[in-house]
Amino acid sequence: MVNKIAFVGAGAMAESILSGILNKQVVRPEQVCVTNKEDQERLKHMKSTYGVKTLSEKREVVADADMVILAMKPKDVTDAIESVREFVSEDQMVVSVLAGISTSYIESELGKKISVIRAMPNTSASIGFSATAIAAGTYANAAQMDMVQELFQTIGTTTVVDEDDLHVVTGLSGSGPAYIYYLVEAMEAAAKESGLKEDISKELIVQTLVGAAEMLKNTESSPEELRQNITSPGGTTQAGLETLKKYKYQEALMECVKNAKERSIELGRPYQRV
């Protein structure tokens, strides 16, 4: 698929993607080169954990790379692009996993007619279960979109969307795992308070989540229908759901996604180009 992938940025998302593609043997460690702004300890971790090349010299990192993945913090994007601008060429492809940063901004900062594609994965990429949305920039062609889809399909599912939709995707599936983990924290706390052993509660909660996800994936029933099927009048599930309704559980989740979307828009506002 690709001969060399260069990561500019070595944070949690870069590591999740890197871990996933290496686990799936999409590329070998020696085909991957990683750099970041200045955190040498982070580069040492990436090298010792995954066996990839790590360098501070940006020219060597991006040279001959089929794909340059921008994975730094969004606030560092301008400095990061400036550090590699002179070393990237129009026959390369830039993939951004940065929340809120438009392809038009990246194209403008690079100052070249270079293919830029945005991908919004989540950290479940590290175990091959990411939900990744992908959007094309001005110069990206169908073959390049196919290549990016193939890459990210090795670490989960992919969905092509309009770039404007990536803000809500960020709030929904990009940040989504954190909402689930927060839910599990609460369930574990409730189990502990009721005297259930931690290892038992964890096993039950995890399998409950897996089972519910599989039901949503493998049946034609809607979430509402599945919920109603296990809610007997006057039963335990109804008692639990009435409590969630009392505390406006659904409204809170809807606001959660909405506010994450708005934050994505806010973060990206200084980086818009028409």
Side-chain angles (χ1 to χ4, degrees):
M1 183 187 299
V2 293
N3 294 315
K4 178 182 175 181
I5 297 178
F7 282 85
V8 183
M13 183 55 72
E15 184 169 6
S16 294
I17 298 168
L18 176 59
S19 174
I21 62 177
L22 290 177
N23 285 337
K24 293 291 184 177
Q25 299 182 338
V26 178
V27 291
R28 300 183 302 277
E30 59 267 27
Q31 293 175 276
V32 179
C33 201
V34 182
T35 189
N36 64 6
K37 188 175 182 180
E38 57 188 17
D39 190 343
Q40 293 300 311
E41 289 302 314
R42 187 65 185 166
L43 292 182
K44 289 179 182 178
H45 164 75
M46 299 292 265
K47 183 175 182 177
S48 62
T49 304
Y50 302 105
V52 298
K53 298 177 183 177
T54 57
L55 296 165
S56 297
E57 175 53 56
K58 302 300 188 289
R59 180 193 296 274
E60 294 182 45
V61 173
V62 302
D64 303 321
D66 304 286
M67 186 182 297
V68 178
I69 299 180
L70 302 180
M72 72 294 301
K73 293 178 181 178
K75 67 181 180 63
D76 294 326
V77 63
T78 304
D79 289 342
I81 293 176
E82 183 178 353
S83 73
V84 301
R85 181 188 297 122
E86 63 180 299
F87 309 128
V88 296
S89 62
E90 292 181 3
D91 60 355
Q92 292 176 300
M93 183 193 328
V94 173
V95 177
S96 168
V97 295
L98 309 178
I101 309 299
S102 67
T103 57
S104 60
Y105 178 81
I106 296 170
E107 291 163 353
S108 175
E109 288 298 298
L110 287 170
K112 302 169 185 176
K113 293 182 178 180
I114 192 168
S115 296
V116 179
I117 294 173
R118 283 181 64 187
M120 180 47 60
N122 57 41
T123 54
S124 299
S126 63
I127 57 168
F129 282 91
S130 175
T132 303
I134 298 170
T138 305
Y139 306 108
N141 59 42
Q144 290 167 328
M145 284 290 287
D146 288 344
M147 183 181 295
V148 173
Q149 283 195 80
E150 287 176 17
L151 176 70
F152 282 94
Q153 280 169 0
T154 66
I155 53 175
T157 63
T158 62
T159 305
V160 176
V161 300
D162 292 332
E163 186 169 2
D164 287 344
D165 290 333
L166 283 177
H167 291 301
V168 68
V169 168
T170 299
L172 188 66
S173 58
S175 300
Y179 313 152
I180 304 300
Y181 302 146
Y182 198 51
L183 165 66
V184 172
E185 288 179 57
M187 295 176 76
E188 287 182 337
K192 182 178 181 179
E193 188 176 286
S194 298
L196 195 62
K197 291 182 179 179
E198 185 176 337
D199 58 337
I200 293 175
S201 67
K202 180 177 180 179
E203 181 177 348
L204 290 171
I205 293 168
V206 169
Q207 187 57 35
T208 299
L209 291 172
V210 170
E214 287 296 320
M215 287 290 288
L216 288 166
K217 184 177 180 180
N218 294 307
T219 71
E220 295 183 359
S221 299
S222 68
E224 181 181 8
E225 291 170 331
L226 292 172
R227 172 177 56 79
Q228 290 175 342
N229 288 343
I230 58 173
T231 308
S232 302
T236 58
T237 305
Q238 184 179 36
L241 289 172
E242 285 176 351
T243 303
L244 292 179
K245 186 175 181 180
K246 175 184 175 181
Y247 287 96
K248 300 186 183 299
Y249 181 74
Q250 283 194 332
E251 290 90 338
L253 283 175
M254 291 169 66
E255 285 298 306
C256 170
V257 174
K258 177 182 176 182
N259 287 338
K261 171 193 170 183
E262 292 302 318
R263 181 57 175 160
S264 174
I265 294 171
E266 181 184 342
L267 287 171
R269 193 166 287 122
Y271 306 101
Q272 298 298 317
R273 293 288 186 271
V274 180

mmCIF file of all heavy atoms in Angstrom, residues 7 12-13 37 40 53 63 68 81 87 98 122 158 184 202 207 209 226 237 242 269:
data_model
loop_
_atom_site.group_PDB
_atom_site.id
_atom_site.type_symbol
_atom_site.label_atom_id
_atom_site.label_comp_id
_atom_site.label_asym_id
_atom_site.label_seq_id
_atom_site.Cartn_x
_atom_site.Cartn_y
_atom_site.Cartn_z
ATOM 1 N N PHE A 7 4.969 10.320 10.598
ATOM 2 C CA PHE A 7 4.095 10.932 11.590
ATOM 3 C C PHE A 7 4.752 12.208 12.100
ATOM 4 O O PHE A 7 5.877 12.180 12.614
ATOM 5 C CB PHE A 7 3.867 9.998 12.776
ATOM 6 C CG PHE A 7 2.877 8.892 12.532
ATOM 7 C CD1 PHE A 7 3.281 7.715 11.937
ATOM 8 C CD2 PHE A 7 1.551 9.027 12.906
ATOM 9 C CE1 PHE A 7 2.388 6.684 11.710
ATOM 10 C CE2 PHE A 7 0.639 8.005 12.690
ATOM 11 C CZ PHE A 7 1.057 6.826 12.082
ATOM 12 N N ALA A 12 -1.137 10.742 21.827
ATOM 13 C CA ALA A 12 -1.989 9.570 22.009
ATOM 14 C C ALA A 12 -2.631 9.103 20.709
ATOM 15 O O ALA A 12 -2.697 7.900 20.435
ATOM 16 C CB ALA A 12 -3.066 9.877 23.048
ATOM 17 N N MET A 13 -3.098 10.047 19.885
ATOM 18 C CA MET A 13 -3.740 9.636 18.642
ATOM 19 C C MET A 13 -2.741 9.040 17.672
ATOM 20 O O MET A 13 -3.008 8.016 17.033
ATOM 21 C CB MET A 13 -4.468 10.824 17.992
ATOM 22 C CG MET A 13 -5.217 10.453 16.712
ATOM 23 S SD MET A 13 -6.399 9.089 16.961
ATOM 24 C CE MET A 13 -7.666 9.936 17.911
ATOM 25 N N LYS A 37 7.530 18.037 18.137
ATOM 26 C CA LYS A 37 8.058 19.390 18.306
ATOM 27 C C LYS A 37 9.345 19.399 19.121
ATOM 28 O O LYS A 37 10.360 19.949 18.691
ATOM 29 C CB LYS A 37 6.997 20.268 18.963
ATOM 30 C CG LYS A 37 7.355 21.740 19.021
ATOM 31 C CD LYS A 37 6.194 22.544 19.587
ATOM 32 C CE LYS A 37 6.507 24.032 19.603
ATOM 33 N NZ LYS A 37 5.373 24.830 20.148
ATOM 34 N N GLN A 40 11.550 14.716 23.529
ATOM 35 C CA GLN A 40 12.450 13.605 23.230
ATOM 36 C C GLN A 40 12.058 12.332 23.971
ATOM 37 O O GLN A 40 12.242 11.229 23.466
ATOM 38 C CB GLN A 40 13.893 13.994 23.573
ATOM 39 C CG GLN A 40 14.472 15.083 22.682
ATOM 40 C CD GLN A 40 14.497 14.667 21.223
ATOM 41 O OE1 GLN A 40 14.951 13.580 20.879
ATOM 42 N NE2 GLN A 40 14.003 15.543 20.351
ATOM 43 N N LYS A 53 11.399 4.379 13.427
ATOM 44 C CA LYS A 53 12.458 5.388 13.398
ATOM 45 C C LYS A 53 11.932 6.675 14.021
ATOM 46 O O LYS A 53 10.800 7.076 13.765
ATOM 47 C CB LYS A 53 12.895 5.659 11.959
ATOM 48 C CG LYS A 53 13.473 4.449 11.243
ATOM 49 C CD LYS A 53 13.801 4.799 9.792
ATOM 50 C CE LYS A 53 14.310 3.589 9.033
ATOM 51 N NZ LYS A 53 14.561 3.903 7.604
ATOM 52 N N ALA A 63 11.051 12.951 3.999
ATOM 53 C CA ALA A 63 11.635 12.619 2.697
ATOM 54 C C ALA A 63 11.144 11.261 2.213
ATOM 55 O O ALA A 63 11.196 10.270 2.940
ATOM 56 C CB ALA A 63 13.160 12.622 2.805
ATOM 57 N N VAL A 68 2.206 11.670 4.764
ATOM 58 C CA VAL A 68 2.645 12.428 5.940
ATOM 59 C C VAL A 68 1.415 12.662 6.808
ATOM 60 O O VAL A 68 0.458 13.309 6.378
ATOM 61 C CB VAL A 68 3.281 13.775 5.552
ATOM 62 C CG1 VAL A 68 3.676 14.558 6.803
ATOM 63 C CG2 VAL A 68 4.481 13.556 4.641
ATOM 64 N N ILE A 81 3.500 22.695 10.408
ATOM 65 C CA ILE A 81 3.507 22.785 8.948
ATOM 66 C C ILE A 81 4.707 23.593 8.466
ATOM 67 O O ILE A 81 5.372 23.223 7.490
ATOM 68 C CB ILE A 81 2.187 23.396 8.424
ATOM 69 C CG1 ILE A 81 1.022 22.431 8.691
ATOM 70 C CG2 ILE A 81 2.289 23.706 6.936
ATOM 71 C CD1 ILE A 81 -0.333 22.982 8.306
ATOM 72 N N PHE A 87 9.983 20.625 2.761
ATOM 73 C CA PHE A 87 10.432 19.262 2.501
ATOM 74 C C PHE A 87 9.353 18.373 1.877
ATOM 75 O O PHE A 87 9.640 17.272 1.428
ATOM 76 C CB PHE A 87 10.918 18.610 3.800
ATOM 77 C CG PHE A 87 11.921 19.448 4.538
ATOM 78 C CD1 PHE A 87 11.737 19.750 5.878
ATOM 79 C CD2 PHE A 87 13.045 19.951 3.899
ATOM 80 C CE1 PHE A 87 12.661 20.520 6.570
ATOM 81 C CE2 PHE A 87 13.975 20.730 4.579
ATOM 82 C CZ PHE A 87 13.774 21.016 5.921
ATOM 83 N N LEU A 98 -6.312 16.130 12.857
ATOM 84 C CA LEU A 98 -6.447 17.231 13.795
ATOM 85 C C LEU A 98 -7.885 17.730 13.865
ATOM 86 O O LEU A 98 -8.481 18.075 12.843
ATOM 87 C CB LEU A 98 -5.532 18.393 13.376
ATOM 88 C CG LEU A 98 -4.075 18.031 13.115
ATOM 89 C CD1 LEU A 98 -3.302 19.256 12.658
ATOM 90 C CD2 LEU A 98 -3.440 17.436 14.359
ATOM 91 N N ASN A 122 -10.699 7.448 16.278
ATOM 92 C CA ASN A 122 -10.660 7.580 17.735
ATOM 93 C C ASN A 122 -9.623 6.612 18.291
ATOM 94 O O ASN A 122 -9.027 5.833 17.539
ATOM 95 C CB ASN A 122 -12.051 7.370 18.370
ATOM 96 C CG ASN A 122 -12.676 6.033 18.014
ATOM 97 O OD1 ASN A 122 -12.007 4.997 17.991
ATOM 98 N ND2 ASN A 122 -13.969 6.031 17.745
ATOM 99 N N THR A 158 -14.490 2.773 8.228
ATOM 100 C CA THR A 158 -14.334 4.120 7.675
ATOM 101 C C THR A 158 -15.632 4.580 7.028
ATOM 102 O O THR A 158 -16.387 3.770 6.486
ATOM 103 C CB THR A 158 -13.209 4.182 6.621
ATOM 104 O OG1 THR A 158 -13.545 3.314 5.528
ATOM 105 C CG2 THR A 158 -11.875 3.769 7.220
ATOM 106 N N VAL A 184 -18.935 3.840 32.197
ATOM 107 C CA VAL A 184 -18.441 2.644 32.884
ATOM 108 C C VAL A 184 -17.915 2.999 34.269
ATOM 109 O O VAL A 184 -18.119 2.233 35.234
ATOM 110 C CB VAL A 184 -17.354 1.943 32.043
ATOM 111 C CG1 VAL A 184 -16.689 0.822 32.830
ATOM 112 C CG2 VAL A 184 -17.958 1.398 30.754
ATOM 113 N N LYS A 202 -16.444 -5.592 36.572
ATOM 114 C CA LYS A 202 -15.804 -5.220 35.312
ATOM 115 C C LYS A 202 -16.174 -6.203 34.203
ATOM 116 O O LYS A 202 -16.525 -5.799 33.088
ATOM 117 C CB LYS A 202 -14.289 -5.160 35.474
ATOM 118 C CG LYS A 202 -13.578 -4.766 34.184
ATOM 119 C CD LYS A 202 -12.068 -4.649 34.372
ATOM 120 C CE LYS A 202 -11.389 -4.249 33.071
ATOM 121 N NZ LYS A 202 -9.932 -4.108 33.221
ATOM 122 N N GLN A 207 -18.906 -7.054 29.153
ATOM 123 C CA GLN A 207 -19.668 -7.951 28.288
ATOM 124 C C GLN A 207 -21.041 -7.376 27.959
ATOM 125 O O GLN A 207 -21.571 -7.576 26.862
ATOM 126 C CB GLN A 207 -19.808 -9.330 28.927
ATOM 127 C CG GLN A 207 -20.439 -10.372 28.012
ATOM 128 C CD GLN A 207 -19.686 -10.550 26.697
ATOM 129 O OE1 GLN A 207 -18.460 -10.443 26.664
ATOM 130 N NE2 GLN A 207 -20.410 -10.814 25.626
ATOM 131 N N LEU A 209 -21.669 -4.174 27.524
ATOM 132 C CA LEU A 209 -21.422 -3.196 26.456
ATOM 133 C C LEU A 209 -21.180 -3.882 25.121
ATOM 134 O O LEU A 209 -21.710 -3.465 24.087
ATOM 135 C CB LEU A 209 -20.220 -2.316 26.819
ATOM 136 C CG LEU A 209 -20.402 -1.347 27.983
ATOM 137 C CD1 LEU A 209 -19.071 -0.703 28.333
ATOM 138 C CD2 LEU A 209 -21.431 -0.283 27.651
ATOM 139 N N LEU A 226 -35.014 -2.005 20.774
ATOM 140 C CA LEU A 226 -34.213 -2.882 21.633
ATOM 141 C C LEU A 226 -34.408 -2.521 23.103
ATOM 142 O O LEU A 226 -34.471 -3.415 23.961
ATOM 143 C CB LEU A 226 -32.732 -2.774 21.250
ATOM 144 C CG LEU A 226 -32.359 -3.351 19.881
ATOM 145 C CD1 LEU A 226 -30.910 -3.001 19.533
ATOM 146 C CD2 LEU A 226 -32.547 -4.870 19.856
ATOM 147 N N THR A 237 -35.652 -2.851 34.922
ATOM 148 C CA THR A 237 -35.122 -1.975 33.868
ATOM 149 C C THR A 237 -35.893 -0.670 33.823
ATOM 150 O O THR A 237 -35.302 0.413 33.682
ATOM 151 C CB THR A 237 -35.192 -2.674 32.498
ATOM 152 O OG1 THR A 237 -34.512 -3.924 32.568
ATOM 153 C CG2 THR A 237 -34.545 -1.820 31.413
ATOM 154 N N GLU A 242 -36.269 5.102 34.538
ATOM 155 C CA GLU A 242 -36.978 6.258 35.108
ATOM 156 C C GLU A 242 -36.010 7.165 35.871
ATOM 157 O O GLU A 242 -36.162 8.395 35.866
ATOM 158 C CB GLU A 242 -38.112 5.776 36.021
ATOM 159 C CG GLU A 242 -39.308 5.236 35.246
ATOM 160 C CD GLU A 242 -40.396 4.680 36.148
ATOM 161 O OE1 GLU A 242 -40.149 4.565 37.374
ATOM 162 O OE2 GLU A 242 -41.475 4.348 35.636
ATOM 163 N N ARG A 269 -11.794 27.720 14.110
ATOM 164 C CA ARG A 269 -12.132 29.031 13.546
ATOM 165 C C ARG A 269 -10.904 29.856 13.129
ATOM 166 O O ARG A 269 -10.916 30.482 12.066
ATOM 167 C CB ARG A 269 -13.005 29.813 14.533
ATOM 168 C CG ARG A 269 -13.669 31.049 13.935
ATOM 169 C CD ARG A 269 -14.773 31.584 14.832
ATOM 170 N NE ARG A 269 -15.957 30.723 14.808
ATOM 171 C CZ ARG A 269 -16.491 30.151 15.873
ATOM 172 N NH1 ARG A 269 -15.941 30.301 17.058
ATOM 173 N NH2 ARG A 269 -17.575 29.412 15.762
#
